[in-house]
Amino acid sequence: MKSFGDFQKGLEAAEWLETNGLGGWSGSSITGCNTRRYHGLLVAAIVPPTERMVLLSKLDETIVTGDNRIELGTNLYAGDIIHPNGHHYLVSFSKEIFPEWMYEVNGIRLKKTIGMIRDENTIVIRYEVLEATDPFTMELLPLVAARGYHSLQQAGPQMHWDADFNNGLLHVMPDGKTNLYLQLSGSVYQHSPRWFNHFQYSVEQYRGLDYTEDLFNHGILSVSLQQGDSVSIIVSTENPTDRNADEMMEKEKQRRELLLTNQPHDETIKQLVLAADQFIVRRKIQIAESSQVPSTGGDLEEAATIIAGYHWFTDWGRDTMISLPGLCLSTGRYEDARKILLAFARNTSRGMLPNRFQDNGEEPEYNNVDGTLWYFVAIYKYLQAAGDKEFILKEILPVLKEIIDWHFKGTRYNIKVDTDGLLYAGEEGQQLTWMDARIGDWVVTPRMGKAVEIQALWYNALKIFAELLRLNQQEHDAFVVNGSAEKAKDSFIRQFWNETGNYLYDVIDENGEADATLRPNQLLAISLPFALIEGEKARSVLQVVEEKLYTPVGLRSLPAEDIHYVPKYGGDQWHRDSAYHQGTVWSWLLGPYVDALMSEPGFVGLDGLMGKSKAKKIIADFSHHLAEGCIGSVSEIFDAEPPHHPRGCVAQAWGVAEVLRVIKEYGLYKMEEIKKKMELEGA
């Protein structure tokens, strides 16, 4: 529970997010003041999970009692003018199954709940009058944006002013083609079309982008209320006539509660399981002509996929494969995992998985080296969790063989196994690893050559492929592949160990020169299912990473003493992208960090705590973040220096996935109790 009496505290501290499994969402700051162009009460995915539109930006409420008009909305205008000041009446906010607000004003206690309905561009807003000394009227002011989610709206003749209202149902087509319905039983409507100008989005200003928008209102809905009343409004792109809002909310509540069935009774796990649900969406995919796994439903087939992050990412191959074990396997969603693996199998090309699916039927992009290798890890973990041997051997193994063959003979972007058995990747102007920031022609972290985590992933791909061949009774083939894996391992140990620093080089570049930049990527050499280094060297890597890169919310991408270190992420796009992997903290890296910590049974860390106890404390220290940023979710990145302010996407798939995965995988439960115990013991 969070309470807010101060606008700036509420504005800066937290946001809320509801999603619909289609790529759409509903979300804003908890004060109700939109601070991003991506905030909106109904952001609809017109062609799931893409072509998102901010249809209804806001629905501001006004309570009318006699001659008094009390506005509950909050907006920011030019000159830092806040109007109205509805945040003064907001006494609490909570996020359990749904986000809920409590307002108190002039003897009225009003509870508001917002829920987005799965597989629909639909939200339901419920108002409950818990206390009221006298009857009152509530007016609702719909503020329409009707524009693409990356753009901003400006007043002009492009907005369609016409509106139809009948029996509590308001219908408008603000852009002339997209339907927007608002249904409120018992309401009356006053048509008064007008523009509201100069809304200011402070986060966009911080990000160095345009930040002023005009919103359009067709008219005002109003309804009479008294103590004990409960009313709900349905906002949708589909006609909600004859639908019952309370039944819709109850069904959605039951669906979410079902996700928590058989989960440990742990508040952090509860929040993360519900957050995980927000990233798993459906889309129609184009089946590649060269696919080893033919479609059963024609050229376009509906599939499951994973949204990389809200508010601006869609589905990316790398993020999907890193996230799949945590989002799907840790939550028991094996069928979703199967659909995702199959969708990507049907879109391999020249031995590569798509880096991202494009819109409007365009060909997928294949500009990454690691997403394809993470696919092997996701498959291996799926087989361990689901035991779906027939699916993996029959439908996936042929795809993996094609991938391995292409990597040996060479594919796009100079991705090819070198004579030493290691995997080379890169060409000028391309960014192929997860450290992929690019500003014009400047690749901020090019990492051409043999990157450390790519070698760890390549070794794991070979070992996993050999395991599956053996499972398929192809013993000789498995022996040959294992030989390639061991060759890669021997070469890696010879070339990547930095004797001076007692850690791993980050890259052996295109000229064979070793890059001694200290980065967290080396953790994958000890955290993946098949470790490349063990024993004292692994301990040394973990120690250096812990001392130089660990923070309570993730790992820094560079140590503070590095000349390229940037302590704070912000400013215009040039400054943000140049800082993205130059010190900025990444939440998802807590997963590999905990894996490395737990990789050796009985491992004793520097502070004397046994591995599991130390891992529990790491999770306990992180869990506070679920009450900041986007409540109940995990931010993409953080400032490198305390207080490690959340930045980037407010909800990131692999951040949620990796924290949830290690909690479930290693039984890191009851974090608050452990944290308190350690504090008492002086840990």
Side-chain angles (χ1 to χ4, degrees):
M1 177 74 72
K2 277 186 171 286
S3 298
F4 299 92
D6 176 80
F7 177 77
Q8 287 299 324
K9 180 181 178 183
L11 182 65
E12 296 172 1
E15 302 179 27
W16 60 275
L17 178 71
E18 285 282 293
T19 67
N20 64 354
L22 299 178
W25 66 81
S26 180
S28 182
S29 74
I30 58 177
T31 63
C33 180
N34 288 351
T35 60
R36 303 176 183 270
R37 69 184 63 206
Y38 302 101
H39 282 161
L41 203 54
L42 177 58
V43 182
I46 305 302
V47 181
T50 59
E51 295 190 25
R52 295 137 159 185
M53 285 185 66
V54 181
L55 274 176
L56 182 62
S57 179
K58 303 198 71 194
L59 187 66
D60 281 353
E61 307 96 348
T62 298
I63 290 176
V64 182
T65 58
D67 294 331
N68 293 323
R69 297 179 57 83
I70 302 121
E71 297 180 85
L72 301 184
T74 304
N75 299 302
L76 183 64
Y77 295 97
D80 291 330
I81 296 172
I82 302 166
H83 178 81
N85 292 283
H87 57 286
H88 290 313
Y89 309 112
L90 176 62
V91 295
S92 69
F93 170 86
S94 64
K95 171 67 167 66
E96 298 297 334
I97 298 298
F98 300 114
E100 296 180 347
W101 294 256
M102 194 72 71
Y103 293 90
E104 291 184 0
V105 54
N106 290 9
I108 297 170
R109 187 172 177 83
L110 183 70
K111 178 181 176 183
K112 178 170 73 172
T113 306
I114 296 180
M116 200 165 202
I117 308 303
R118 188 75 172 184
D119 295 331
E120 297 184 34
N121 287 313
T122 301
I123 63 163
V124 176
I125 310 162
R126 176 187 293 155
Y127 297 96
E128 300 172 65
V129 184
L130 304 182
E131 296 177 15
T133 54
D134 297 298
F136 64 94
T137 297
M138 184 167 68
E139 295 180 352
L140 299 172
L141 180 76
L143 292 166
V144 174
R147 43 84 174 172
Y149 71 125
H150 288 310
S151 62
L152 291 172
Q153 184 64 272
Q154 304 300 327
Q158 72 278 8
M159 193 69 72
H160 289 241
W161 291 22
D162 294 340
D164 294 320
F165 181 79
N166 184 45
N167 195 27
L169 178 64
L170 175 65
H171 173 221
V172 298
M173 296 181 69
D175 63 350
K177 59 183 179 181
T178 308
N179 291 310
L180 176 61
Y181 296 90
L182 291 88
Q183 178 176 280
L184 177 59
S185 297
S187 65
V188 296
Y189 173 70
Q190 178 185 353
H191 191 60
S192 54
R194 52 187 167 156
W195 284 96
F196 287 74
N197 305 111
H198 308 309
F199 291 87
Q200 308 284 291
Y201 301 145
S202 58
V203 177
E204 302 304 305
Q205 183 179 15
Y206 175 83
R207 297 175 69 230
L209 301 173
D210 294 340
Y211 59 92
T212 301
E213 177 161 56
D214 303 328
L215 299 174
F216 186 78
N217 169 247
H218 291 83
I220 297 174
L221 290 164
S222 59
V223 63
S224 298
L225 298 170
Q226 61 183 359
Q227 181 169 311
D229 282 351
S230 174
V231 295
S232 297
I233 181 168
I234 301 173
V235 182
S236 181
T237 57
E238 302 293 331
N239 192 330
T241 299
D242 299 327
R243 300 195 70 184
N244 184 291
D246 291 340
E247 290 178 359
M248 294 166 67
M249 284 285 276
E250 182 59 29
K251 182 178 178 181
E252 177 62 20
K253 179 172 181 273
Q254 291 177 5
R255 187 193 70 80
R256 298 185 191 189
E257 289 176 338
L258 190 61
L259 299 173
L260 302 173
T261 304
N262 299 322
Q263 296 292 342
H265 294 291
D266 180 279
E267 183 61 28
T268 299
I269 289 178
K270 174 185 174 182
Q271 293 184 65
L272 291 174
V273 168
L274 292 174
D277 179 60
Q278 297 187 324
F279 300 98
I280 301 171
V281 304
R282 57 184 175 89
R283 75 142 61 230
K284 289 188 180 296
I285 61 167
Q286 187 83 32
I287 307 303
E289 292 181 6
S290 59
S291 172
Q292 292 284 321
V293 188
S295 170
T296 58
D299 292 337
L300 281 176
E301 185 165 294
E302 188 160 293
T305 187
I306 290 173
I307 292 293
Y310 294 99
H311 300 95
W312 46 80
F313 288 139
T314 54
D315 43 345
W316 294 70
R318 171 192 301 119
D319 299 64
T320 295
M321 295 309 148
I322 292 174
S323 301
L324 185 146
L327 299 187
C328 298
L329 305 182
S330 295
T331 58
R333 300 176 72 148
Y334 300 148
E335 184 59 27
D336 286 326
R338 189 179 191 274
K339 289 179 179 178
I340 293 166
L341 294 174
L342 191 58
F344 279 86
R346 287 175 172 160
N347 278 274
T348 55
S349 170
R350 297 178 64 186
M352 297 177 69
L353 261 66
N355 189 36
R356 74 181 182 100
F357 292 108
Q358 298 199 90
D359 301 337
N360 305 315
E362 298 175 75
E363 289 294 315
E365 293 182 345
Y366 292 88
N367 55 332
N368 81 95
V369 59
D370 50 346
T372 303
L373 304 178
W374 277 109
Y375 188 54
F376 285 76
V377 178
I379 287 164
Y380 183 68
K381 292 189 175 183
Y382 170 78
L383 181 60
Q384 288 180 315
D388 195 353
K389 177 179 173 181
E390 181 178 358
F391 166 67
I392 295 298
L393 297 183
K394 182 179 178 181
E395 302 201 54
I396 301 300
L397 186 57
V399 178
L400 301 187
K401 181 183 184 305
E402 180 188 27
I403 291 171
I404 294 293
D405 288 346
W406 270 104
H407 279 65
F408 273 103
K409 68 183 180 182
T411 185
R412 300 175 179 89
Y413 306 112
N414 290 324
I415 298 172
K416 185 178 181 179
V417 178
D418 204 348
T419 54
D420 58 6
L422 298 176
L423 190 64
Y424 182 95
E427 61 182 42
E428 290 292 339
Q430 296 295 329
Q431 66 279 40
L432 302 179
T433 72
W434 81 277
M435 289 188 162
D436 59 0
R438 177 176 174 172
I439 305 170
D441 295 331
W442 175 36
V443 177
V444 182
T445 51
R447 307 183 76 230
M448 279 180 59
K450 301 167 185 175
V452 63
E453 82 278 12
I454 302 305
Q455 309 317 311
L457 286 163
W458 172 240
Y459 176 69
N460 273 263
L462 290 171
K463 295 293 289 185
I464 289 165
F465 184 48
E467 290 278 319
L468 297 180
L469 289 171
R470 186 174 294 109
L471 193 61
N472 203 40
Q473 300 182 351
Q474 296 175 253
E475 293 291 343
H476 176 71
D477 293 338
F479 177 80
V480 172
V481 173
N482 261 325
S484 296
E486 291 310 307
K487 180 180 179 180
K489 184 174 184 177
D490 290 343
S491 296
F492 180 87
I493 293 172
R494 287 198 310 272
Q495 297 181 44
F496 274 84
W497 186 249
N498 179 352
E499 289 286 353
T500 302
N502 284 320
Y503 60 86
L504 294 169
Y505 291 119
D506 189 58
V507 181
I508 306 298
D509 71 15
E510 65 271 29
N511 300 313
E513 297 294 324
D515 179 0
T517 303
L518 176 61
R519 293 195 182 274
N521 304 307
Q522 61 189 298
L523 276 178
L524 296 189
I526 55 178
S527 65
L528 289 172
F530 298 92
L532 267 174
I533 59 170
E534 299 171 302
E536 289 304 316
K537 288 183 176 179
R539 290 173 184 247
S540 179
V541 164
L542 191 58
Q543 178 177 334
V544 171
V545 168
E546 181 177 81
E547 290 177 349
K548 302 292 186 179
L549 304 179
Y550 171 74
T551 78
V553 287
L555 299 187
R556 293 186 181 94
S557 42
L558 271 183
E561 58 265 28
D562 193 286
I563 191 173
H564 300 294
Y565 177 77
V566 181
K568 189 173 182 179
Y569 177 90
D572 60 22
Q573 187 169 356
W574 190 93
H575 285 92
R576 285 183 282 114
D577 285 351
S578 61
Y580 207 34
H581 300 291
Q582 305 291 60
T584 297
V585 172
W586 289 78
S587 57
W588 81 273
L589 292 171
L590 278 179
Y593 178 60
V594 171
D595 283 331
L597 184 65
M598 298 294 293
S599 63
E600 190 171 342
F603 174 79
V604 180
L606 297 179
D607 56 7
L609 294 171
M610 298 301 289
K612 187 169 183 177
S613 295
K614 186 171 184 178
K616 285 180 176 179
K617 186 176 187 303
I618 289 167
I619 298 301
D621 289 343
F622 178 81
S623 63
H624 84 279
H625 170 61
L626 298 179
E628 66 173 6
C630 183
I631 299 293
S633 197
V634 176
S635 297
E636 176 190 14
I637 54 178
F638 302 80
D639 287 341
E641 294 295 325
H644 304 297
H645 193 94
R647 305 292 185 190
C649 282
V650 300
Q652 191 78 358
W654 58 13
V656 170
E658 282 296 271
V659 174
L660 178 57
R661 177 184 64 80
V662 295
I663 292 174
K664 293 293 296 293
E665 195 168 314
Y666 302 116
L668 309 178
Y669 308 137
K670 298 181 180 177
M671 277 71 76
E672 287 305 316
E673 293 180 14
I674 292 162
K675 186 175 182 179
K676 290 177 182 177
K677 181 180 178 182
M678 289 184 172
E679 288 173 351
L680 289 172
E681 294 174 350

